[in-house]
Amino acid sequence: RQVNGAELLIQLLKNQGITRVFGYPGGAIMPVYDALYESGIEHVLSRHEQGSGFAALGYAKITGRPCVCIATSGPGATNLITALADAQFDSVPMVAITGQVATDVMGTDAFQEIDTFGLSLAVTKHSFLVEKPEQLASIVVRAFELAQSGRPGPVLIDLPKNIQLAAAVVKPQESVLAGKDDAIDDLKIGAAIKLMGDCQQPVFYIGGGVALGKAQSELNQLLELVGFPVVSTLKGLGAVNNSNPLNLGMLGMHGNPAANHTVQECDLLIAVGARFDDRVTGKLSGFAANAKIIHFDIDAAEIDKLRQPDVALLGDVKLYLRALLSKLSYFSKEKFSNWR
């Protein structure tokens, strides 16, 4: 039989490996709830949409996979905003699906109509408004790809009620991430190695991007090889082996004095998956003021946002750390014995 848009959505979620969703029903999303019934996907009912959003966020943090939260139009969608903002700042992959009034009454201040697309842009990695039935399949695929690719984050799909009820149309769609380039810039690797060799008082500054990039093993191999001290942000804690005697712990406003003094005295700061947050830097102009900067990050928006690096290594941190290790197969630690 011909399926409708809501039933197609459920099948597309299954195709993405989704077995559990978190939500709270309402009129504009009811066709999706009808399709969920006996679909095999578990629905976890919250008592408030914000609860659905935070439950999905926690589930995604634990599994490392995108999780889905569902809400209706108007207040249902607005109640998700805080959870989406948290996911955006913590780089958590999520897909939020919100009901919307039918396309033929959008813009008329229909019951529980609100510009969910516009409201969500500031707190999501990307937002979609499905305007035609034939867009649904490609948008769902793109949403999950975007939520997981590069720096992870939340994506929202605003789904009008008439699209949920319309006959489903599926068109083959090329992956939005096809042809993704993971090439390593050897010239920049060489420039980073030169800075590491020329410095006198280096320190690694580790952020949450190391764990997100599953680069803990490569990071600890590099730290053992070069013997530089290392400090971490709150989100970076746990990436560095506790057995490392040069692991000085957390820096910043609530950090350890040793970590902060070391950063202030360094002449080379190697930032790996960290974003120079104000809780870490305090007065930015005085933060590691005499240090050259090497900055590893997958998010182009973080490079040169707050501190201009001398060498920027933009891309997959795991691949860049591997490349650096291969070029630094031997590294003399003796020069840094006084600093240690």
Side-chain angles (χ1 to χ4, degrees), residues 252-324:
M253 178 184 287
H254 303 292
N256 300 329
N260 286 324
H261 285 301
T262 301
V263 167
Q264 291 306 95
E265 293 173 20
C266 76
D267 62 1
L268 177 65
L269 186 67
I270 306 170
V272 188
R275 60 189 179 92
F276 295 86
D277 177 67
D278 64 282
R279 300 295 92 173
V280 164
T281 66
K283 184 180 178 183
L284 188 62
S285 61
F287 178 72
N290 299 315
K292 292 185 180 299
I293 306 289
I294 300 172
H295 194 176
F296 293 76
D297 212 290
I298 199 167
D299 186 357
E302 292 299 339
I303 301 294
D304 203 21
K305 184 175 83 174
L306 294 170
R307 184 72 179 265
Q308 184 174 4
D310 295 273
V311 178
L313 301 169
L314 176 62
D316 188 318
V317 66
K318 188 182 187 81
L319 296 181
Y320 262 112
L321 289 174
R322 281 181 181 172
L324 194 58

Side-chain angles (χ1 to χ4, degrees), residues 21-92:
V21 298
F22 300 83
Y24 189 90
I29 197 69
M30 199 55 71
V32 169
Y33 274 84
D34 290 339
L36 265 174
Y37 188 67
E38 295 185 344
S39 68
I41 294 179
E42 179 188 359
H43 177 265
V44 180
L45 178 67
S46 68
R47 295 299 182 267
H48 187 283
E49 292 86 358
Q50 190 177 104
S52 299
F54 278 112
L57 182 143
Y59 194 75
K61 279 186 175 182
I62 296 300
T63 63
R65 291 272 305 148
C67 191
V68 173
C69 57
I70 302 175
T72 192
S73 61
T78 60
N79 284 342
L80 287 180
I81 294 293
T82 302
L84 292 174
D86 196 0
Q88 176 81 334
F89 283 107
D90 275 1
S91 304
V92 179

Side-chain angles (χ1 to χ4, degrees), residues 19-323:
T19 59
R20 178 181 287 112
V21 298
F22 300 83
Y24 189 90
I29 197 69
M30 199 55 71
V32 169
Y33 274 84
D34 290 339
L36 265 174
Y37 188 67
E38 295 185 344
S39 68
I41 294 179
E42 179 188 359
H43 177 265
V44 180
L45 178 67
S46 68
R47 295 299 182 267
H48 187 283
E49 292 86 358
Q50 190 177 104
S52 299
F54 278 112
L57 182 143
Y59 194 75
K61 279 186 175 182
I62 296 300
T63 63
R65 291 272 305 148
C67 191
V68 173
C69 57
I70 302 175
T72 192
S73 61
T78 60
N79 284 342
L80 287 180
I81 294 293
T82 302
L84 292 174
D86 196 0
Q88 176 81 334
F89 283 107
D90 275 1
S91 304
V92 179
M94 281 173 56
V95 175
I97 299 168
T98 53
Q100 182 56 275
V101 301
T103 54
D104 60 346
V105 296
M106 288 178 66
T108 68
D109 294 327
F111 177 67
Q112 289 194 175
E113 179 188 2
I114 199 159
D115 181 12
T116 303
F117 175 81
L119 277 173
S120 63
L121 286 176
V123 293
T124 56
K125 192 173 177 183
H126 196 75
S127 292
F128 295 96
L129 171 62
V130 185
E131 298 177 282
K132 299 176 182 177
E134 55 266 30
Q135 295 175 326
L136 181 58
S138 61
I139 282 177
V140 172
V141 171
R142 290 176 66 196
F144 276 88
E145 289 178 334
L146 286 168
Q148 299 171 84
S149 64
R151 181 178 180 173
V155 178
L156 182 137
I157 302 172
D158 200 28
L159 187 56
K161 191 170 184 178
N162 62 315
I163 306 294
Q164 299 172 48
L165 294 170
V169 179
V170 183
K171 286 188 175 182
Q173 180 75 20
E174 181 180 313
S175 167
V176 71
L177 301 181
K180 183 174 178 285
D181 185 8
D182 281 326
I184 297 297
D185 190 328
D186 287 325
L187 288 176
K188 290 191 174 181
I189 289 285
I193 289 172
K194 184 175 188 310
L195 286 180
M196 292 170 71
D198 290 346
C199 68
Q200 301 291 325
Q201 299 181 168
V203 62
F204 275 85
Y205 158 40
I206 306 305
V210 171
L212 287 171
K214 297 179 172 57
Q216 296 96 321
S217 175
E218 288 77 6
L219 171 68
N220 284 289
Q221 290 176 57
L222 181 59
L223 291 173
E224 184 175 346
L225 176 66
V226 299
F228 292 177
V230 55
V231 301
S232 300
T233 68
L234 181 65
K235 293 285 288 179
L237 292 176
V240 180
N241 291 339
N242 285 328
S243 59
N244 185 333
L246 296 174
N247 179 5
L248 301 177
M250 193 169 87
L251 82 164
M253 178 184 287
H254 303 292
N256 300 329
N260 286 324
H261 285 301
T262 301
V263 167
Q264 291 306 95
E265 293 173 20
C266 76
D267 62 1
L268 177 65
L269 186 67
I270 306 170
V272 188
R275 60 189 179 92
F276 295 86
D277 177 67
D278 64 282
R279 300 295 92 173
V280 164
T281 66
K283 184 180 178 183
L284 188 62
S285 61
F287 178 72
N290 299 315
K292 292 185 180 299
I293 306 289
I294 300 172
H295 194 176
F296 293 76
D297 212 290
I298 199 167
D299 186 357
E302 292 299 339
I303 301 294
D304 203 21
K305 184 175 83 174
L306 294 170
R307 184 72 179 265
Q308 184 174 4
D310 295 273
V311 178
L313 301 169
L314 176 62
D316 188 318
V317 66
K318 188 182 187 81
L319 296 181
Y320 262 112
L321 289 174
R322 281 181 181 172

